[in-house]
Amino acid sequence: MLTEAERVRAKRQTRLRIDYSGYRYKITGHTTTTMADFVLPLTKDLLKYHTRWNERSLRPYTDELFDLWAENGIDGLLDTQLQGPTLTRFGIIPDDRKSADRIVGLLPTYKAIFNRSDVQVYRADGHVYIDVPWQTDQVFLGDILLDDEYERLHGYGPEIPVAIGMDIYRQSYFADLAQMPHLLVAGQGRTAFLHGVIISLLLSHAPEDIEVYLCGQRRSEFDKYNRIPYCQVSSDPNDQIILLEDLNAEVDRRYAAMYESRCRTIYDFNRRAGKMKHLIIIIEEYANLVAINKRAAASNLTRLAEMAAACGIHLITASEKSVYFRPVRDSFPSRVCLRTDTVADSYVMIDRKGAEKLGKKGMLFYLDGSSATPYLLQSGSVSAKEIRAVVSAIMDNYADPSSKDTGPTLWDKLFSR
């Protein structure tokens, strides 16, 4: 006779049905004959990108800076004039400490020269930097995804690249979920950032490799992706809590399968024993889960962050308020911090102040998990029209994209009760 606890455990362990011996993708209403026929859409055909970056002349501003420093007896060398997409940086090497202090003390004058209130002055690497966040050029997601690094990472290999942003040198940054393997996102503008993450996933991997579960605050936010058979959307926090519980059960199932096959990771298993797909879970507002069941949300999220990497389950968890991440932040060394409301929120995400002063147009700090110093980046923007174009291009791989799926969805399988 089974006890109640044993019945609950047995029920949980049978929620997910995955055939580890092999895999052939087929869903009623959306079918392809074989995954070899699946064609990944081309980024340059679907997303907007710059063919030529705008260059603002900096000569009038440098002349004013030189006059200002001469009037105040400042000696040094202006060795950096960088015109980034949305940030212009001047770097000065002062001759002595007194000159450095005077350069920093002239911040109000810099704000008048550039006619901006958000100019920042700080010291680093023997320089005094002046950062002017001009909206000179918007960074498009296409600019980031057309980078050679994304072309190298994307495809059918073990890497799972997601777009993070572009720095002042116009270098693109990507997070490889296969290496990270999880990500925390906090601050204003997180939803726009997550759209870039989702598009970079959909353009880099076929359905035989990944399944994507989107947990939105509002169903309409991610509803555009619901047409894709291997991309499912939910806006119910109760279902999202159950999802985390089921994923923990799936972790146990996958580890048992790898143990029986004498494999250490999902990559060993896929080479030697069968086929496991990467499950990627994106939670738009973690605060909703905390409101339903704070203890269950934190414990499930922490266990997944610590255990799920080797078996191919990856979490991207976001919230506008970083305070909700305090119990779990130590399990997520890789983090993205957009503009925060307070200095305390900035400390939670990047262990320093500064995020509260970021601009609102996608500027962010990125901790990659290996360096204690965050990168200052600009995330790529993607429009609703571009999202629809990507979804339509993916659906062209299916026999009848307009037909409605009458079979069980991925979400139904995961939540089979």
Side-chain angles (χ1 to χ4, degrees):
M1 188 72 178
L2 293 176
T3 65
E4 181 63 26
E6 289 172 336
R7 282 196 296 270
V8 171
R9 191 177 302 113
K11 180 179 178 181
R12 179 174 296 174
Q13 290 174 346
T14 58
R15 279 177 177 164
L16 287 174
R17 296 289 186 183
I18 296 180
D19 180 10
Y20 295 112
S21 61
Y23 187 74
R24 177 188 171 114
Y25 188 80
K26 183 174 181 179
I27 293 183
T28 306
H30 299 284
T31 61
T32 57
T33 55
T34 171
M35 282 299 98
D37 298 332
F38 194 93
V39 178
L40 289 171
L42 293 177
T43 302
K44 65 180 181 180
D45 294 339
L46 301 171
L47 301 181
K48 187 184 299 184
Y49 58 93
H50 284 94
T51 55
R52 180 182 177 185
W53 290 89
N54 178 38
E55 297 287 351
R56 179 194 294 262
S57 174
L58 300 180
R59 183 63 182 271
Y61 299 100
T62 56
D63 288 345
E64 285 197 59
L65 290 174
F66 284 137
D67 292 341
L68 176 65
W69 294 331
E71 291 172 4
N72 288 271
I74 295 172
D75 297 319
L77 172 67
L78 179 66
D79 76 331
T80 303
Q81 297 181 68
L82 287 174
Q83 181 75 335
T86 56
L87 189 73
T88 297
R89 175 173 295 169
F90 301 90
I92 309 99
I93 303 178
D95 286 351
D96 50 52
R97 186 171 181 177
K98 182 182 290 186
S99 294
D101 292 339
R102 289 178 178 175
I103 294 171
V104 174
L106 291 172
L107 176 59
T109 310
Y110 303 144
K111 292 181 179 180
I113 290 175
F114 297 108
N115 194 27
R116 295 195 64 94
S117 62
D118 48 3
V119 177
Q120 297 187 47
V121 180
Y122 59 94
R123 310 181 196 204
D125 306 324
H127 290 70
V128 178
Y129 290 108
I130 303 173
D131 281 358
V132 185
W134 273 322
Q135 191 70 21
T136 56
D137 267 316
Q138 184 180 17
V139 176
F140 299 120
L141 183 63
D143 296 319
I144 299 174
L145 298 189
L146 286 173
D147 190 89
D148 292 340
E149 181 69 8
Y150 183 72
E151 293 297 322
R152 183 186 69 82
L153 291 173
H154 104 295
Y156 296 87
E159 296 87 1
I160 308 176
V162 294
I164 301 297
M166 181 180 289
D167 67 6
I168 191 172
Y169 303 97
R170 294 176 186 163
Q171 176 182 349
S172 298
Y173 283 74
F174 302 92
D176 183 7
L177 291 182
Q179 299 293 330
M180 283 199 318
H182 311 291
L183 184 67
L184 279 189
V185 181
Q188 302 171 17
R190 72 196 184 285
T191 305
F193 172 81
L194 291 177
H195 280 297
V197 168
I198 296 167
I199 294 298
S200 58
L201 283 170
L202 295 178
L203 291 177
S204 65
H205 278 77
E208 67 174 352
D209 298 317
I210 63 171
E211 288 180 5
V212 184
Y213 296 88
L214 303 176
C215 303
Q217 188 173 12
R218 300 172 300 276
R219 188 175 181 87
S220 60
E221 192 59 56
F222 293 141
D223 194 52
K224 307 175 186 70
Y225 307 103
N226 210 24
R227 292 177 56 202
I228 302 174
Y230 56 97
C231 188
Q232 298 298 315
V233 180
S234 171
S235 59
D236 187 346
N238 291 291
D239 279 351
Q240 295 166 20
I241 289 286
I242 297 173
L243 170 65
L244 295 181
E245 294 174 353
D246 286 345
L247 288 170
N248 273 289
E250 173 65 2
V251 168
D252 296 334
R253 285 172 55 87
R254 291 193 170 199
Y255 272 113
M258 290 190 297
Y259 176 78
E260 291 174 3
S261 304
R262 298 185 179 183
C263 300
R264 294 185 59 191
T265 67
I266 183 175
Y267 306 104
D268 295 336
F269 187 91
N270 287 347
R271 282 194 302 265
R272 295 161 49 186
K275 179 65 177 180
M276 287 183 187
K277 295 168 63 172
H278 288 270
L279 306 183
I280 301 166
I281 299 86
I282 299 177
I283 301 173
E284 183 197 7
E285 185 49 77
Y286 178 66
N288 291 346
L289 278 64
V290 172
I292 296 296
N293 192 329
K294 181 178 181 180
R295 181 175 297 179
S299 62
N300 282 302
L301 198 70
T302 302
R303 185 173 187 269
L304 286 172
E306 294 173 353
M307 296 285 294
C311 61
I313 298 176
H314 311 282
L315 295 168
I316 300 175
T317 309
S319 179
E320 183 172 348
K321 303 289 185 180
S322 61
V323 64
Y324 297 106
F325 291 142
R326 279 180 178 157
V328 301
R329 66 184 290 275
D330 292 338
S331 300
F332 291 81
S334 300
R335 306 176 203 137
V336 166
C337 186
L338 295 106
R339 182 184 177 93
T340 60
D341 292 331
T342 65
V343 175
D345 287 332
S346 179
Y347 270 100
V348 170
M349 294 299 293
I350 59 174
D351 297 315
R352 65 185 66 198
K353 63 182 180 180
E356 75 283 355
K357 296 180 180 179
L358 290 174
K360 295 182 179 180
K361 297 294 183 180
M363 294 187 69
L364 58 89
F365 283 115
Y366 170 52
L367 276 174
D368 62 2
S370 61
S371 172
T373 303
Y375 300 100
L376 178 62
L377 307 176
Q378 175 80 22
S379 65
S381 65
V382 56
S383 65
K385 181 179 179 181
E386 290 172 293
I387 294 173
R388 288 193 296 268
V390 171
V391 172
S392 296
I394 290 173
M395 293 307 296
D396 287 343
N397 287 282
Y398 296 91
D400 187 7
S402 62
S403 65
K404 193 169 184 178
D405 185 9
T406 58
T409 65
L410 299 178
W411 204 268
D412 294 332
K413 292 178 182 178
L414 202 62
F415 290 160
S416 57
R417 300 171 182 171

